[in-house]
Amino acid sequence: MGFAKEYEFLTEIGIEPRNSGAFVNGVWKGSGSVVSSVNPANNKTIAEVVEASSQDYEEGIKACYEASKIWMQLPAPKRGEIVRQIGDALRTKLQYLGRLLSLEMGKILPEGIGEVQEVIDMCDFAVGLSRQLNGSVIPSERPNHMMLEMWNPLGVVGVITAFNFPCAVLGWNACIALVCGNAVVWKGAPTTPLITIAMTKLVAEVLEKNSLPTAIFTSFCGGAEIGQAISKDTRIPLVSFTGSSKVGQMVQQTVSERFGKCLLELSGNNALIVMDDADIQLAVRSVLFAAVGTAGQRCTTCRRLLVHEKIYDSVVDKLLEAYKQVKVGDPLENGTLLGPLHTKASRENFEKGIKVIKSQGGKILTGGSVIESEGNFVQPTIVEISPSADVVKEELFGPVLYVLKFKDFKEAVEINNSVPQGLSSSIFTRSHELIFKWIGPQGSDCGIVNVNIPTNGAEIGGAFGGEKGTGGGREAGSDSWKQYMRRSTCTINYGSELPLAQGISFGN
Ligand code: NAD
């Protein structure tokens, strides 16, 4: 049976009604469970996938490990050329991939296309980087000696990704890992297998065209079992994990037990502070975008809005007015701002969260309910609550915004820093003094510290990631590439003396 008309476009990116979910040494197979990829807007099956089994994993990783030895010998700019071709292949399929992303994850179409564009941008960034993996020369204190710092590939990099950015996070990691000379083994989220398959097919085609082993980019559809296999595998020196703090901590422990390296991108609980001198229109527009976008399922979603007491009522009133205009609906339809939550379980989690909020004294100012429909739609919600309520310290993965009142800058920073997570933060102010205090040692303790822009929308040129419960990892731009390589400090003696051994006789 073929696809219904609305899903026919999927064949353009290699998706069939039933798909094998393990890309093992250039062959698609799968001997694990059969799962359905489901459209969050109506909970109907889009296509089926046969997940990878442990056996598929073992076969795939073996080939990937062998392929890494070939890939790491290719000069870095040549690896960059392959990544450039991947970027070009993505450009030709941008609309289809963006549409699939929107269909399978549930984010609105412009966000789906934007996410694929981000991978294209990462390819461009990585191509430039492939000529700049520079080491350094360090003055030696010993005569006729030279010290060098060299960067070498790690081997195989494991990438485990979350459902909410099923292809951008792969791009942040894989583009850099590949130009650094590593093979990549990727496990996407179990609820977004079609994106995993479509992306892998596109990369495989480029590798094949260049007569390179396709096992350089190996991928598996599956859940915790495959994730654990990656975490335990001593053939994978670096595991880059994106997901919840709870699972991230387990992964870190497993990887640490074998002295592997971990790059963690975990949960966020991001605050946006509005000072009394702020441009209120700008702040309100930013909050709406940051709290409602991707149905509140971004790691950088604004979850806590901290408003100075002097302007509190006016900011909240304007926000309530803006929320009335949010169009909820099918993410593929023009004009929709708020699509569904990703799964039925996410919708149940939202309902549970609202109950907890109420039990801890939270007052619902708008929203607070699920929307009766076939899909996983919920209302955009604003809650007035005390910053000390326990529920405020947690990440509720949906469009729920807590509004909190503060008296002065010091108190606002204290509230900002009072949660276990440390991903993104933002302040709206016109005061230069406060801006520099905010980005300084006693300001925000987050990895992303913004001024007069929302908590989300990070650019790829900067290093992305957060502190504390967010895991401390940095991905994408700046010098994040160093995490995907091993550093060798090399001391070279080009004379005939061994200064440290002077005065000791070794005979002839
Ligand atoms: P999750 O932790 O449930 O799953 C993430 C990945 O881990 C999935 O691929 C899953 O199959 C896998 N996994 C599950 N159990 C595992 C185990 N025992 N060992 C190894 N892997 C295992 O997260 P999610 O619900 O997919 O994503 C949402 C979370 O991700 C949120 O907390 C969000 O903030 C976070 N996130 C963070 C960033 C960031 O850059 N900081 C980006 C995107 C998402």
Side-chain angles (χ1 to χ4, degrees), residues 407-431:
K407 283 193 177 58
D408 55 22
F409 175 74
K410 187 166 170 283
E411 190 191 1
V413 174
E414 271 166 21
I415 299 173
N416 179 73
N417 295 352
S418 69
V419 294
Q421 310 80 357
L423 182 54
S424 185
S425 55
S426 182
I427 194 167
F428 280 70
T429 180
R430 292 182 170 108
S431 156

PDB file of all heavy atoms in Angstrom, residues 407-431:
ATOM      1  N   LYS A 407      11.416  43.110  43.283  1.00  0.00           N
ATOM      2  CA  LYS A 407      11.549  44.520  43.707  1.00  0.00           C
ATOM      3  C   LYS A 407      12.727  45.223  43.036  1.00  0.00           C
ATOM      4  O   LYS A 407      12.646  46.385  42.681  1.00  0.00           O
ATOM      5  CB  LYS A 407      11.781  44.565  45.219  1.00  0.00           C
ATOM      6  CG  LYS A 407      10.548  44.339  46.054  1.00  0.00           C
ATOM      7  CD  LYS A 407      10.855  44.726  47.512  1.00  0.00           C
ATOM      8  CE  LYS A 407       9.631  44.596  48.397  1.00  0.00           C
ATOM      9  NZ  LYS A 407       9.053  43.230  48.401  1.00  0.00           N
ATOM     10  N   ASP A 408      13.854  44.522  42.940  1.00  0.00           N
ATOM     11  CA  ASP A 408      15.035  45.180  42.356  1.00  0.00           C
ATOM     12  C   ASP A 408      15.894  44.162  41.602  1.00  0.00           C
ATOM     13  O   ASP A 408      15.642  42.946  41.651  1.00  0.00           O
ATOM     14  CB  ASP A 408      15.857  45.894  43.442  1.00  0.00           C
ATOM     15  CG  ASP A 408      16.258  44.961  44.567  1.00  0.00           C
ATOM     16  OD1 ASP A 408      16.290  43.729  44.328  1.00  0.00           O
ATOM     17  OD2 ASP A 408      16.528  45.427  45.693  1.00  0.00           O
ATOM     18  N   PHE A 409      16.920  44.670  40.924  1.00  0.00           N
ATOM     19  CA  PHE A 409      17.790  43.851  40.076  1.00  0.00           C
ATOM     20  C   PHE A 409      18.388  42.679  40.852  1.00  0.00           C
ATOM     21  O   PHE A 409      18.422  41.532  40.370  1.00  0.00           O
ATOM     22  CB  PHE A 409      18.900  44.748  39.493  1.00  0.00           C
ATOM     23  CG  PHE A 409      19.931  44.000  38.708  1.00  0.00           C
ATOM     24  CD1 PHE A 409      19.655  43.516  37.439  1.00  0.00           C
ATOM     25  CD2 PHE A 409      21.206  43.779  39.243  1.00  0.00           C
ATOM     26  CE1 PHE A 409      20.617  42.815  36.709  1.00  0.00           C
ATOM     27  CE2 PHE A 409      22.171  43.077  38.521  1.00  0.00           C
ATOM     28  CZ  PHE A 409      21.868  42.603  37.259  1.00  0.00           C
ATOM     29  N   LYS A 410      18.842  42.974  42.083  1.00  0.00           N
ATOM     30  CA  LYS A 410      19.510  41.927  42.873  1.00  0.00           C
ATOM     31  C   LYS A 410      18.555  40.744  43.097  1.00  0.00           C
ATOM     32  O   LYS A 410      18.924  39.584  42.925  1.00  0.00           O
ATOM     33  CB  LYS A 410      19.947  42.544  44.211  1.00  0.00           C
ATOM     34  CG  LYS A 410      20.786  41.646  45.058  1.00  0.00           C
ATOM     35  CD  LYS A 410      21.456  42.448  46.187  1.00  0.00           C
ATOM     36  CE  LYS A 410      22.110  41.518  47.191  1.00  0.00           C
ATOM     37  NZ  LYS A 410      21.161  40.893  48.107  1.00  0.00           N
ATOM     38  N   GLU A 411      17.330  41.077  43.459  1.00  0.00           N
ATOM     39  CA  GLU A 411      16.354  40.003  43.711  1.00  0.00           C
ATOM     40  C   GLU A 411      16.046  39.233  42.416  1.00  0.00           C
ATOM     41  O   GLU A 411      15.923  37.999  42.414  1.00  0.00           O
ATOM     42  CB  GLU A 411      15.062  40.592  44.287  1.00  0.00           C
ATOM     43  CG  GLU A 411      14.125  39.504  44.773  1.00  0.00           C
ATOM     44  CD  GLU A 411      12.696  39.986  45.114  1.00  0.00           C
ATOM     45  OE1 GLU A 411      12.402  41.202  44.957  1.00  0.00           O
ATOM     46  OE2 GLU A 411      11.884  39.130  45.499  1.00  0.00           O
ATOM     47  N   ALA A 412      15.973  39.979  41.301  1.00  0.00           N
ATOM     48  CA  ALA A 412      15.668  39.316  40.010  1.00  0.00           C
ATOM     49  C   ALA A 412      16.763  38.313  39.651  1.00  0.00           C
ATOM     50  O   ALA A 412      16.473  37.195  39.219  1.00  0.00           O
ATOM     51  CB  ALA A 412      15.535  40.370  38.914  1.00  0.00           C
ATOM     52  N   VAL A 413      18.025  38.703  39.857  1.00  0.00           N
ATOM     53  CA  VAL A 413      19.134  37.791  39.535  1.00  0.00           C
ATOM     54  C   VAL A 413      19.084  36.577  40.475  1.00  0.00           C
ATOM     55  O   VAL A 413      19.300  35.437  40.037  1.00  0.00           O
ATOM     56  CB  VAL A 413      20.503  38.519  39.626  1.00  0.00           C
ATOM     57  CG1 VAL A 413      21.658  37.543  39.445  1.00  0.00           C
ATOM     58  CG2 VAL A 413      20.570  39.622  38.583  1.00  0.00           C
ATOM     59  N   GLU A 414      18.766  36.830  41.747  1.00  0.00           N
ATOM     60  CA  GLU A 414      18.670  35.708  42.697  1.00  0.00           C
ATOM     61  C   GLU A 414      17.615  34.698  42.241  1.00  0.00           C
ATOM     62  O   GLU A 414      17.830  33.491  42.259  1.00  0.00           O
ATOM     63  CB  GLU A 414      18.299  36.215  44.094  1.00  0.00           C
ATOM     64  CG  GLU A 414      19.518  36.579  44.924  1.00  0.00           C
ATOM     65  CD  GLU A 414      19.137  37.387  46.162  1.00  0.00           C
ATOM     66  OE1 GLU A 414      17.952  37.340  46.594  1.00  0.00           O
ATOM     67  OE2 GLU A 414      20.027  38.086  46.664  1.00  0.00           O
ATOM     68  N   ILE A 415      16.465  35.218  41.804  1.00  0.00           N
ATOM     69  CA  ILE A 415      15.394  34.308  41.348  1.00  0.00           C
ATOM     70  C   ILE A 415      15.857  33.586  40.078  1.00  0.00           C
ATOM     71  O   ILE A 415      15.695  32.373  39.928  1.00  0.00           O
ATOM     72  CB  ILE A 415      14.069  35.067  41.087  1.00  0.00           C
ATOM     73  CG1 ILE A 415      13.551  35.736  42.360  1.00  0.00           C
ATOM     74  CG2 ILE A 415      12.999  34.102  40.545  1.00  0.00           C
ATOM     75  CD1 ILE A 415      12.345  36.642  42.157  1.00  0.00           C
ATOM     76  N   ASN A 416      16.463  34.338  39.167  1.00  0.00           N
ATOM     77  CA  ASN A 416      16.959  33.726  37.921  1.00  0.00           C
ATOM     78  C   ASN A 416      17.864  32.531  38.224  1.00  0.00           C
ATOM     79  O   ASN A 416      17.762  31.477  37.623  1.00  0.00           O
ATOM     80  CB  ASN A 416      17.739  34.771  37.108  1.00  0.00           C
ATOM     81  CG  ASN A 416      18.307  34.191  35.824  1.00  0.00           C
ATOM     82  OD1 ASN A 416      17.591  33.933  34.873  1.00  0.00           O
ATOM     83  ND2 ASN A 416      19.613  33.941  35.810  1.00  0.00           N
ATOM     84  N   ASN A 417      18.750  32.737  39.222  1.00  0.00           N
ATOM     85  CA  ASN A 417      19.777  31.716  39.516  1.00  0.00           C
ATOM     86  C   ASN A 417      19.299  30.654  40.509  1.00  0.00           C
ATOM     87  O   ASN A 417      20.077  29.772  40.862  1.00  0.00           O
ATOM     88  CB  ASN A 417      21.034  32.389  40.092  1.00  0.00           C
ATOM     89  CG  ASN A 417      21.710  33.309  39.080  1.00  0.00           C
ATOM     90  OD1 ASN A 417      21.327  33.322  37.904  1.00  0.00           O
ATOM     91  ND2 ASN A 417      22.690  34.059  39.506  1.00  0.00           N
ATOM     92  N   SER A 418      18.043  30.736  40.954  1.00  0.00           N
ATOM     93  CA  SER A 418      17.609  29.877  42.065  1.00  0.00           C
ATOM     94  C   SER A 418      17.115  28.490  41.632  1.00  0.00           C
ATOM     95  O   SER A 418      16.628  27.734  42.447  1.00  0.00           O
ATOM     96  CB  SER A 418      16.487  30.573  42.844  1.00  0.00           C
ATOM     97  OG  SER A 418      15.316  30.616  42.031  1.00  0.00           O
ATOM     98  N   VAL A 419      17.223  28.175  40.349  1.00  0.00           N
ATOM     99  CA  VAL A 419      16.714  26.864  39.891  1.00  0.00           C
ATOM    100  C   VAL A 419      17.897  25.919  39.617  1.00  0.00           C
ATOM    101  O   VAL A 419      19.026  26.378  39.423  1.00  0.00           O
ATOM    102  CB  VAL A 419      15.832  27.015  38.624  1.00  0.00           C
ATOM    103  CG1 VAL A 419      14.567  27.779  38.939  1.00  0.00           C
ATOM    104  CG2 VAL A 419      16.602  27.675  37.489  1.00  0.00           C
ATOM    105  N   PRO A 420      17.635  24.611  39.576  1.00  0.00           N
ATOM    106  CA  PRO A 420      18.747  23.673  39.345  1.00  0.00           C
ATOM    107  C   PRO A 420      19.342  23.749  37.930  1.00  0.00           C
ATOM    108  O   PRO A 420      20.460  23.324  37.722  1.00  0.00           O
ATOM    109  CB  PRO A 420      18.106  22.290  39.560  1.00  0.00           C
ATOM    110  CG  PRO A 420      16.780  22.517  40.168  1.00  0.00           C
ATOM    111  CD  PRO A 420      16.359  23.910  39.844  1.00  0.00           C
ATOM    112  N   GLN A 421      18.561  24.264  36.965  1.00  0.00           N
ATOM    113  CA  GLN A 421      19.031  24.296  35.579  1.00  0.00           C
ATOM    114  C   GLN A 421      19.750  25.625  35.292  1.00  0.00           C
ATOM    115  O   GLN A 421      19.538  26.612  36.011  1.00  0.00           O
ATOM    116  CB  GLN A 421      17.858  24.153  34.602  1.00  0.00           C
ATOM    117  CG  GLN A 421      16.909  22.988  34.863  1.00  0.00           C
ATOM    118  CD  GLN A 421      15.871  23.253  35.962  1.00  0.00           C
ATOM    119  OE1 GLN A 421      15.869  24.312  36.596  1.00  0.00           O
ATOM    120  NE2 GLN A 421      14.989  22.298  36.196  1.00  0.00           N
ATOM    121  N   GLY A 422      20.544  25.663  34.225  1.00  0.00           N
ATOM    122  CA  GLY A 422      21.261  26.912  33.909  1.00  0.00           C
ATOM    123  C   GLY A 422      21.493  27.087  32.427  1.00  0.00           C
ATOM    124  O   GLY A 422      22.616  27.327  31.990  1.00  0.00           O
ATOM    125  N   LEU A 423      20.410  26.984  31.630  1.00  0.00           N
ATOM    126  CA  LEU A 423      20.606  27.082  30.179  1.00  0.00           C
ATOM    127  C   LEU A 423      20.564  28.523  29.682  1.00  0.00           C
ATOM    128  O   LEU A 423      21.574  29.138  29.437  1.00  0.00           O
ATOM    129  CB  LEU A 423      19.587  26.194  29.438  1.00  0.00           C
ATOM    130  CG  LEU A 423      19.715  26.178  27.914  1.00  0.00           C
ATOM    131  CD1 LEU A 423      21.119  25.824  27.460  1.00  0.00           C
ATOM    132  CD2 LEU A 423      18.714  25.218  27.280  1.00  0.00           C
ATOM    133  N   SER A 424      19.348  29.095  29.579  1.00  0.00           N
ATOM    134  CA  SER A 424      19.249  30.417  28.962  1.00  0.00           C
ATOM    135  C   SER A 424      18.586  31.420  29.894  1.00  0.00           C
ATOM    136  O   SER A 424      17.824  31.049  30.801  1.00  0.00           O
ATOM    137  CB  SER A 424      18.466  30.309  27.648  1.00  0.00           C
ATOM    138  OG  SER A 424      18.476  31.548  26.994  1.00  0.00           O
ATOM    139  N   SER A 425      18.861  32.710  29.641  1.00  0.00           N
ATOM    140  CA  SER A 425      18.315  33.776  30.478  1.00  0.00           C
ATOM    141  C   SER A 425      18.344  35.063  29.672  1.00  0.00           C
ATOM    142  O   SER A 425      19.144  35.186  28.740  1.00  0.00           O
ATOM    143  CB  SER A 425      19.189  33.935  31.720  1.00  0.00           C
ATOM    144  OG  SER A 425      20.537  34.154  31.322  1.00  0.00           O
ATOM    145  N   SER A 426      17.483  36.003  30.053  1.00  0.00           N
ATOM    146  CA  SER A 426      17.488  37.268  29.325  1.00  0.00           C
ATOM    147  C   SER A 426      17.000  38.407  30.216  1.00  0.00           C
ATOM    148  O   SER A 426      16.159  38.202  31.088  1.00  0.00           O
ATOM    149  CB  SER A 426      16.582  37.148  28.100  1.00  0.00           C
ATOM    150  OG  SER A 426      16.631  38.354  27.383  1.00  0.00           O
ATOM    151  N   ILE A 427      17.548  39.597  29.976  1.00  0.00           N
ATOM    152  CA  ILE A 427      17.055  40.775  30.701  1.00  0.00           C
ATOM    153  C   ILE A 427      16.643  41.836  29.688  1.00  0.00           C
ATOM    154  O   ILE A 427      17.286  41.984  28.638  1.00  0.00           O
ATOM    155  CB  ILE A 427      18.125  41.342  31.673  1.00  0.00           C
ATOM    156  CG1 ILE A 427      17.501  42.318  32.650  1.00  0.00           C
ATOM    157  CG2 ILE A 427      19.277  41.995  30.930  1.00  0.00           C
ATOM    158  CD1 ILE A 427      18.382  42.678  33.824  1.00  0.00           C
ATOM    159  N   PHE A 428      15.552  42.528  29.990  1.00  0.00           N
ATOM    160  CA  PHE A 428      15.127  43.656  29.166  1.00  0.00           C
ATOM    161  C   PHE A 428      15.326  44.919  30.007  1.00  0.00           C
ATOM    162  O   PHE A 428      14.695  45.082  31.048  1.00  0.00           O
ATOM    163  CB  PHE A 428      13.659  43.499  28.718  1.00  0.00           C
ATOM    164  CG  PHE A 428      13.556  42.563  27.551  1.00  0.00           C
ATOM    165  CD1 PHE A 428      13.782  41.205  27.717  1.00  0.00           C
ATOM    166  CD2 PHE A 428      13.273  43.031  26.273  1.00  0.00           C
ATOM    167  CE1 PHE A 428      13.729  40.331  26.642  1.00  0.00           C
ATOM    168  CE2 PHE A 428      13.211  42.172  25.188  1.00  0.00           C
ATOM    169  CZ  PHE A 428      13.443  40.822  25.373  1.00  0.00           C
ATOM    170  N   THR A 429      16.244  45.748  29.563  1.00  0.00           N
ATOM    171  CA  THR A 429      16.566  46.988  30.277  1.00  0.00           C
ATOM    172  C   THR A 429      17.266  47.928  29.315  1.00  0.00           C
ATOM    173  O   THR A 429      17.789  47.495  28.279  1.00  0.00           O
ATOM    174  CB  THR A 429      17.486  46.715  31.489  1.00  0.00           C
ATOM    175  OG1 THR A 429      17.773  47.951  32.150  1.00  0.00           O
ATOM    176  CG2 THR A 429      18.809  46.075  31.087  1.00  0.00           C
ATOM    177  N   ARG A 430      17.279  49.237  29.675  1.00  0.00           N
ATOM    178  CA  ARG A 430      18.065  50.194  28.875  1.00  0.00           C
ATOM    179  C   ARG A 430      19.295  50.643  29.658  1.00  0.00           C
ATOM    180  O   ARG A 430      20.044  51.488  29.198  1.00  0.00           O
ATOM    181  CB  ARG A 430      17.198  51.402  28.520  1.00  0.00           C
ATOM    182  CG  ARG A 430      16.067  51.079  27.542  1.00  0.00           C
ATOM    183  CD  ARG A 430      15.301  52.357  27.233  1.00  0.00           C
ATOM    184  NE  ARG A 430      14.376  52.196  26.145  1.00  0.00           N
ATOM    185  CZ  ARG A 430      13.056  52.154  26.281  1.00  0.00           C
ATOM    186  NH1 ARG A 430      12.515  52.225  27.500  1.00  0.00           N
ATOM    187  NH2 ARG A 430      12.277  52.039  25.231  1.00  0.00           N
ATOM    188  N   SER A 431      19.468  50.098  30.865  1.00  0.00           N
ATOM    189  CA  SER A 431      20.563  50.550  31.723  1.00  0.00           C
ATOM    190  C   SER A 431      21.870  49.831  31.387  1.00  0.00           C
ATOM    191  O   SER A 431      21.967  48.607  31.514  1.00  0.00           O
ATOM    192  CB  SER A 431      20.187  50.283  33.187  1.00  0.00           C
ATOM    193  OG  SER A 431      21.352  50.175  33.967  1.00  0.00           O
TER     194      SER A 431
END
